[in-house]
Amino acid sequence: MSKFEALTGNDAVATAMRQINPDVVAAYPITPQTSTVQKFSEFVADGLVDTEFVTVESEHSAMSACVGASAAGARVMTATSANGLALMWEIVYIAASNRLPIVMSLVNRALSAPINIHCDHSDVMGMRDSGWIILFSENAQEAYDNIIQAVRIAEHPDVLLPVAVCQDGFITSHGMERVEIYEDEDVRAFIGEYRPQWSILDVDHPKTYGPLDFYDYYYEHKRQQVEAMKNAHRVIQEVAEEFNRKFNRNYGLFEAYRLDDAEVAVVVVNSTAGTAKVVVDQLRAEGLKVGLLKPRVFRPFPAKELVDALRHLKAVAVMDRSISFGSMGNAGPLFLELAAAMALHGVHIPMADYVFGLGGRDILPSEIESVYRDMLRAAETGQVERMVTYLSVRE
Amino acid sequence: MAELKGWRDIPIGGMILEAGNAVEYPTGTWRAFRPVFGEAKCIHCFTCWLYCPDSSILVDPENEKMLGFDLEHCKGCGICASVCPVNAKVRREAGEELARDDPRLCIRMVEEGKFQE
Amino acid sequence: MATKLALKELIKQPTRLTPGHRLCAGCGASIIVRQVLMAIDDPVVITNATGCLEVATTIYPYTAWNVPWMHNAFENAASTISGIEAAYRALVRKGKIPDRNVKFIAFGGDGGTYDIGLQALSGAAERGHQFLYICYDNGAYMNTGIQRSSATPMGAHTTTSPAGKKIPGKQQFRKDLTAIMAAHGIPYVAQAAPSHWRDLMKKVRKAVNCGGPAFINVLSSCNRGWRHPTDDTIEITQLAVDTCYWPLYEVENGEWRLTYKPKEKKPVEEWLKRQGRFRHLFRPENRHIIDELQAEVDRRWERLLHLCGEA
C-alpha cells in the first residue's frame, strides 16, 4: 500500500532516491537543492541505502564523478540548481554525449548575476541544447513521480541519455505538500535492475571512453544522439503508460487542463501551472472558455503533439520564467520554440509571450488572469497587442 | 585507412570497443632516421625496450632476446641508441666522437634517405 | 607474487599501451605510462586528463590502450576516477561485480594537474578514494603549443612567456605541487623520473598498495617544448635529477625520504644549456636569472634534505 506523507519537493525527491537506492550519488550543496542531498545523506548515514555518496568539492566534480560512475555501469544520480548547474556545464554536455543515463534533480533557480537564490528557469533553459532529456514537475508529487520514471527513461537501451527532472526552487522544493509515496518494493520493481551493456570496470574487455573524435566521426556520434532523442519521445510515453497503470496516475508528454473546449489557453511549466489552474476554474465559473497546457516533457520537444493540442484555440499565451536575451523580441525560450512549432505546422493563431517571476518574483492569480483576459481580447480581434510582455516588472 | 562507417554502424558515445587497435595505425612513415644494428653485439639488456616511447623494440620474451625494431611504428627518435649501454661502451673505447650512424655501434641511427638494405 | 622488477621479467608482461599512438617521436609521456603500467600486475582502470597523452593515444577510431580507459575533460581526471572508484566499491559491495583488486589510475599533464585540475585532485585526495594520480610534468601546456603553466621553470621561454626584448621568459618559480600533495596528508606521495625506472616502479607499487589516495609527480621531457634532440629524452631527465632540479623522494605516511642522492650535485646550468627554451639565459644580461634559479634549486634541495632528515 502506498501512503500519503507531508513532504517538501526536495524531501519527495530524496525519498525517491532512497527507494531507487542508486549505486553512486555525487552532489554538492547549493540552495535550493541542498535539502535533497542533506536528506539523502541521512539515508546513507542510517544505512537505509547502500549508495556510495561522493561528497565532491564542486558541482564540476559532481558531474565528473557521475560521468565516471555511470561509465562504470553504476546507477547514478545527482542534484543541483542554477550556478551549480552552470559550473557543471562542460560535463553536462559530456554526460549526454557519452550516452550516460544519469538522473539529475534540478531545482530551478535564477542564474547570477546579481546573485539570487530564488526560482526561475534560466538555469534549465541554458541546458536545452545539451542533449539531456528535460522533464518539468508542477509539484512535489510530480517531482517524485518524474524522478522514478526518469531512471527507466534514461536507462532504456534505445535512449541511454541523462535526464534532468525540474521543480521550482523554494516554491516546490521547500513547500510542504501531501505526496503519495509508493511502496519501496513497488518502486524497485518498476525501475528494475540496471544491466548496462558496457562498463569501464569490465577489465577483461577493455574499452576506450571519450576519445578524440575528428571531423570524420564526430558528426556521426552527434547523429546518434538525435536518434536517441527521437527514441526518447516514444520511450517517455511508454514508461508513463506503465507508470500510470501501476500507480494510477496520468502522465504523458503534457497535461491539458480544461483545454478541449477552450478558446484561449496559457502554456506554462512547473508550479505556476498549479496557480493557473485555479485561475482557469475562476474564469470558467464566469463562463469564459479558458484552458491550460502544462508541458511535462521539454526535451525532446513534442512539437506535433503540442500543436495538435493547441490548434483549435483562438489565442495562446506562453508564460516563460526566463528570457532568451537578444532572441526574437527578447522572448522566452518556451514561447520561441512553441511559436516556431505552430507556424511550421501551419497553425496561425495569435500568440504572445509573458515573461514572469524572474529571480523568484511572485506570480499572482490576478496577473495570470490578466494574461487570460489579454488572450480573450486577442481571440476577438484576431491579434495580440504585444508579442512579449514582462509581467509585474516596475517601470 | 579503415573505411568510414555510418552512424548506425559504430558504437554509441564515441566508445572504442577494440582495445589497442592503434597497432593498425602505422607511424613508421614519420621516421627521418632508422635504427639499425651495427657491429657491436647486442647484450639483450632490454634498456632500449624499456625506454622506447613507441613500444617498437621487438623482443622474444621466452628466450629473452632483443630481436630488432618494429619499423611499422618506430618514429626514429633515437632514444634506443642513446640509452644503449653497448653504444656507450663503444663510444668510450673509441676515444673519439662517433657519428650517430657509425657502423661500430650496436644501435646506429641511419638517415632514411641514405638507408640501403 | 609481484613480477620482479627486472627487465627480463618485465618483457614477459602484456603490452598495456600499444604502438601506433601519435605522440611525438621521443616523447617522455608514453615512456612514463609504460613504466607505470608495467609496475602493476593487477587490473587497472585509467582516466586521462585532456592533453597530449590523451589526444595522441585515442584518435578515433583507434586506441592505443589495452586497458579500460576514459577521458572526460581537462580538469577532472581525479574526480572522474573518484566516480569510477566509488562505483566499483558500490557494485562490489552489492555483489554485482567480483572484487578483482582493480587499481585506479589517473594520468594528467602539469596543466591538467598543477593548474586547471588542482581543485578536483585536492578534493579526490581529501575524500580518500583509492587511486593513484600520476602527473607527467613537462612544464608547460605542450598540447596547445607550449604555453607556460605553474610548473614551468623560471626563465623558460614558452609561447606565453616568450623570451622578449624586455622580459626574458617566465618570471616566476614553479609551484611545488609534490609538497602541496604531501600537505594533504594522504598515505603516499612521491616524485620520480623515468630515467630512474626501478625507483619509479617501486614508487608506483607502493602507491597502488597504500590503501588510499596516492600521488606521483613524474618529470616528463617534451623535446618540442624543451627544445632538445629527440634522443636526449632520458639523458636530460637524468640531468634534471642530478642537478637536484628534480629530486627523487617519497613521503610515506608523512615520512619524507630521499630515494636517490646524486653523487655529485651538478650545477643547474648543465641541465639548462641542453635545452633551447633556456638559450636566452646564457646572454650576459640574463646571467642573473640562472643564478636566481640556482639559488632557488639550492634552497628547495636544502629544505628537502632537512625534511628527509639528511641535513
Side-chain angles (χ1 to χ4, degrees):
Chain A
M1 275 293 284
S2 66
K3 57 180 186 293
F4 287 91
E5 291 181 32
L7 293 173
T8 65
N10 279 348
D11 284 351
V13 166
T15 303
M17 289 170 74
R18 177 184 61 70
Q19 297 178 314
I20 292 162
N21 190 14
D23 301 311
V24 174
V25 168
Y28 186 79
I30 183 167
T31 306
Q33 165 281 122
T34 311
S35 62
T36 319
V37 293
Q38 278 178 358
K39 191 80 189 166
F40 190 74
S41 304
E42 290 171 19
F43 296 145
V44 175
D46 291 338
L48 297 179
V49 290
D50 46 10
T51 303
E52 280 292 325
F53 184 22
V54 188
T55 49
V56 283
E57 82 300 331
S58 73
E59 285 92 353
H60 193 281
S61 282
M63 189 47 65
S64 300
C66 285
V67 162
S70 188
R75 189 171 259 165
V76 179
M77 299 182 77
T78 188
T80 195
S81 294
N83 297 38
L85 178 65
L87 185 56
M88 286 181 181
W89 224 259
E90 180 194 24
I91 316 304
V92 161
Y93 276 76
I94 290 170
S97 304
N98 282 352
R99 308 295 301 278
L100 301 171
I102 298 159
V103 172
M104 174 200 289
S105 170
L106 178 56
V107 182
N108 297 126
R109 160 185 154 179
L111 280 174
S112 298
I115 190 167
N116 175 296
I117 56 168
H118 291 283
C119 176
D120 74 27
H121 299 159
S122 49
D123 54 2
V124 59
M125 286 306 166
M127 78 187 294
R128 66 191 191 271
D129 295 339
S130 67
W132 283 58
I133 291 167
I134 299 172
L135 306 179
F136 283 106
S137 321
E138 179 186 325
N139 49 37
Q141 183 71 56
E142 291 192 6
Y144 171 77
D145 291 342
N146 277 337
I147 285 280
I148 295 168
Q149 292 177 67
V151 174
R152 283 280 303 276
I153 297 163
E155 292 172 2
H156 194 288
D158 295 346
V159 177
L160 290 172
L161 290 175
V163 181
V165 174
C166 298
Q167 59 171 304
D168 279 347
F170 287 112
I171 302 162
T172 307
S173 68
H174 288 61
M176 190 77 82
E177 292 178 41
R178 188 169 174 270
V179 182
E180 184 181 4
I181 300 296
Y182 316 119
E183 285 283 347
D184 292 358
E185 301 84 76
D186 289 344
V187 172
R188 280 175 198 161
F190 180 79
I191 59 170
E193 191 85 356
Y194 176 40
R195 291 198 174 76
Q197 196 178 340
W198 306 278
S199 165
I200 197 169
L201 295 175
D202 182 1
V203 291
D204 297 324
H205 303 92
K207 283 170 275 293
T208 287
Y209 291 72
L212 174 65
D213 204 11
F214 280 133
Y215 36 74
D216 53 352
Y217 275 105
Y218 179 88
Y219 198 175
E220 276 65 30
H221 289 120
K222 295 295 120 182
R223 177 62 184 84
Q224 291 177 329
Q225 284 178 250
V226 171
E227 200 65 10
M229 270 294 173
K230 285 184 180 176
N231 294 340
H233 179 76
R234 184 191 85 237
V235 169
I236 289 167
Q237 294 175 86
E238 288 170 2
V239 170
E241 275 168 34
E242 197 182 321
F243 188 87
N244 295 343
R245 272 201 306 278
K246 185 156 178 134
F247 298 112
N248 195 24
R249 300 258 165 231
N250 191 28
Y251 288 101
L253 298 168
F254 55 85
E255 180 191 344
Y257 186 74
R258 305 187 83 164
L259 192 62
D260 283 354
D261 64 338
E263 290 182 352
V264 303
V266 162
V267 178
V268 66
V269 297
N270 270 11
S271 68
T272 309
T275 318
K277 283 176 187 169
V278 175
V279 177
V280 167
D281 290 347
Q282 285 167 356
L283 295 175
R284 281 274 179 176
E286 288 179 31
L288 299 170
K289 291 197 163 180
V290 297
L292 171 82
L293 190 147
K294 179 187 79 181
R296 169 179 178 244
V297 180
F298 183 63
R299 284 287 177 271
F301 192 75
K304 188 175 179 306
E305 289 84 352
L306 291 174
V307 171
D308 285 344
L310 298 168
R311 64 164 69 239
H312 66 286
L313 299 165
K314 291 180 178 163
V316 174
V318 177
M319 292 181 67
D320 266 297
R321 205 160 192 159
S322 64
I323 298 172
S324 177
F325 294 104
S327 68
M328 179 176 64
N330 288 291
L334 186 57
F335 170 78
L336 292 167
E337 193 145 342
L338 191 60
M342 298 282 270
L344 290 172
H345 284 84
V347 179
H348 301 285
I349 52 178
M351 282 184 78
D353 191 22
Y354 290 81
V355 171
F356 74 100
L358 300 192
R361 175 75 50 94
D362 276 341
I363 174 80
L364 303 173
S366 58
E367 289 164 333
I368 299 174
E369 185 184 328
S370 76
V371 173
Y372 276 110
R373 296 212 183 267
D374 284 358
M375 286 307 103
L376 289 164
R377 266 198 310 283
E380 272 177 33
T381 62
Q383 59 183 8
V384 296
E385 285 161 29
R386 276 178 312 280
M387 188 172 85
V388 182
T389 302
Y390 303 100
L391 275 178
S392 72
V393 73
R394 291 183 301 278
E395 293 297 331
Chain B
M1 288 297 285
E3 196 191 326
L4 293 176
K5 291 177 180 165
W7 64 267
R8 293 174 198 277
D9 300 322
I10 52 174
I12 61 166
M15 247 183 304
I16 302 173
L17 304 180
E18 303 84 25
N21 64 354
V23 288
E24 295 162 24
Y25 189 87
T27 49
T29 51
W30 298 13
R31 204 170 45 242
F33 293 89
R34 172 184 295 217
V36 181
F37 279 127
E39 289 157 11
K41 281 246 170 347
C42 171
I43 57 170
H44 307 282
C45 66
F46 304 110
T47 309
C48 56
W49 173 85
L50 174 74
Y51 286 121
C52 176
D54 289 289
S55 311
S56 293
I57 303 295
L58 302 171
V59 294
D60 173 355
E62 218 162 287
N63 299 305
E64 298 176 354
K65 294 277 184 251
M66 189 287 205
L67 301 175
F69 310 94
D70 170 6
L71 295 174
E72 275 285 300
H73 298 105
C74 165
K75 295 166 188 159
C77 69
I79 289 178
C80 51
S82 80
V83 299
C84 173
V86 180
N87 275 13
K89 187 163 175 268
V90 172
R91 286 179 192 283
R92 258 194 324 272
E93 286 170 0
E96 55 173 322
E97 275 290 303
L98 298 188
R100 298 178 77 210
D101 62 353
D102 193 290
R104 288 170 282 179
L105 294 167
C106 173
I107 301 176
R108 39 198 292 261
M109 297 303 294
V110 182
E111 219 175 304
E112 275 292 330
K114 290 185 188 161
F115 182 78
Q116 283 156 351
E117 287 290 342
Chain C
M1 266 295 282
T3 306
K4 213 172 133 204
L5 292 183
L7 296 180
K8 281 193 162 100
E9 297 305 316
L10 293 170
I11 56 165
K12 295 174 176 129
Q13 299 288 86
T15 307
R16 285 175 154 178
L17 183 73
T18 69
H21 63 70
R22 286 173 248 183
L23 287 160
C24 301
C27 177
S30 51
I31 300 174
I32 292 164
V33 170
R34 289 185 63 224
Q35 292 186 8
V36 168
L37 297 184
M38 256 184 242
I40 306 169
D41 290 316
D42 290 315
V44 296
V45 173
I46 293 170
T47 62
N48 202 158
T50 309
C52 294
L53 178 64
E54 169 264 326
V55 299
T57 55
T58 62
I59 301 179
Y60 194 88
Y62 296 105
T63 176
W65 299 89
N66 262 330
V67 289
W69 180 97
M70 181 173 215
H71 162 249
N72 187 346
F74 196 0
E75 65 286 61
N76 62 1
S79 39
T80 307
I81 202 79
S82 81
I84 296 174
E85 187 257 7
Y88 180 74
R89 276 190 285 131
L91 296 172
V92 167
R93 191 172 59 231
K94 293 181 177 187
K96 291 183 183 175
I97 57 169
D99 189 352
R100 298 271 301 268
N101 206 21
V102 175
K103 306 299 188 206
F104 297 93
I105 318 284
F107 285 107
D110 50 290
T113 310
Y114 284 67
D115 291 348
I116 199 168
L118 182 58
Q119 176 183 318
L121 172 60
S122 176
E126 184 274 333
R127 292 194 298 275
H129 297 278
Q130 291 199 25
F131 75 110
L132 164 60
Y133 193 106
I134 301 278
C135 174
Y136 68 100
D137 176 354
N138 52 31
Y141 291 83
M142 301 309 185
N143 189 42
T144 43
I146 320 165
Q147 291 81 33
R148 65 89 85 185
S149 75
S150 62
T152 304
M154 189 176 78
H157 164 99
T158 71
T159 55
T160 52
S161 65
K165 291 195 178 84
K166 209 170 163 192
I167 306 171
K170 195 200 178 204
Q171 295 293 287
Q172 302 81 11
F173 294 118
R174 59 196 306 281
K175 187 191 279 179
D176 188 353
L177 181 64
T178 315
I180 292 169
M181 290 315 295
H184 281 69
I186 55 177
Y188 193 81
V189 170
Q191 201 159 276
S195 48
H196 300 67
W197 63 275
R198 203 178 268 115
D199 176 78
L200 186 150
M201 289 194 203
K202 278 187 194 163
K203 286 170 177 168
V204 169
R205 286 197 170 170
K206 280 188 180 182
V208 294
N209 292 307
C210 75
F215 174 82
I216 305 181
N217 205 356
V218 187
L219 186 67
S220 182
S221 141
C222 166
N223 57 61
R224 303 296 304 140
W226 294 15
R227 298 278 152 190
H228 65 72
T230 58
D231 58 351
D232 263 1
T233 301
I234 298 303
E235 213 177 314
I236 214 132
T237 309
Q238 171 85 48
L239 261 174
V241 174
D242 284 338
T243 56
C244 298
Y245 171 81
W246 193 265
L248 306 183
Y249 63 97
E250 62 188 4
V251 187
E252 204 175 354
N253 298 314
E255 292 287 317
W256 292 65
R257 196 173 75 83
L258 215 55
T259 60
Y260 172 84
K261 197 170 182 177
K263 284 189 198 80
E264 167 212 359
K265 178 167 171 277
K266 294 181 176 167
V268 76
E269 200 173 327
E270 286 196 30
W271 182 62
L272 303 179
K273 73 182 177 196
R274 299 279 293 266
Q275 303 171 61
R277 62 175 171 163
F278 298 116
R279 189 169 46 216
H280 57 285
L281 300 185
F282 292 87
R283 290 201 290 265
E285 67 272 25
N286 290 333
R287 179 70 225 181
H288 67 101
I289 299 171
I290 296 180
D291 295 340
E292 283 169 47
L293 193 53
Q294 182 66 61
E296 183 63 13
V297 167
D298 293 346
R299 192 187 68 76
R300 291 189 187 196
W301 174 244
E302 290 304 321
R303 179 176 172 273
L304 181 64
L305 289 177
H306 176 74
L307 286 166
C308 296
E310 303 248 354

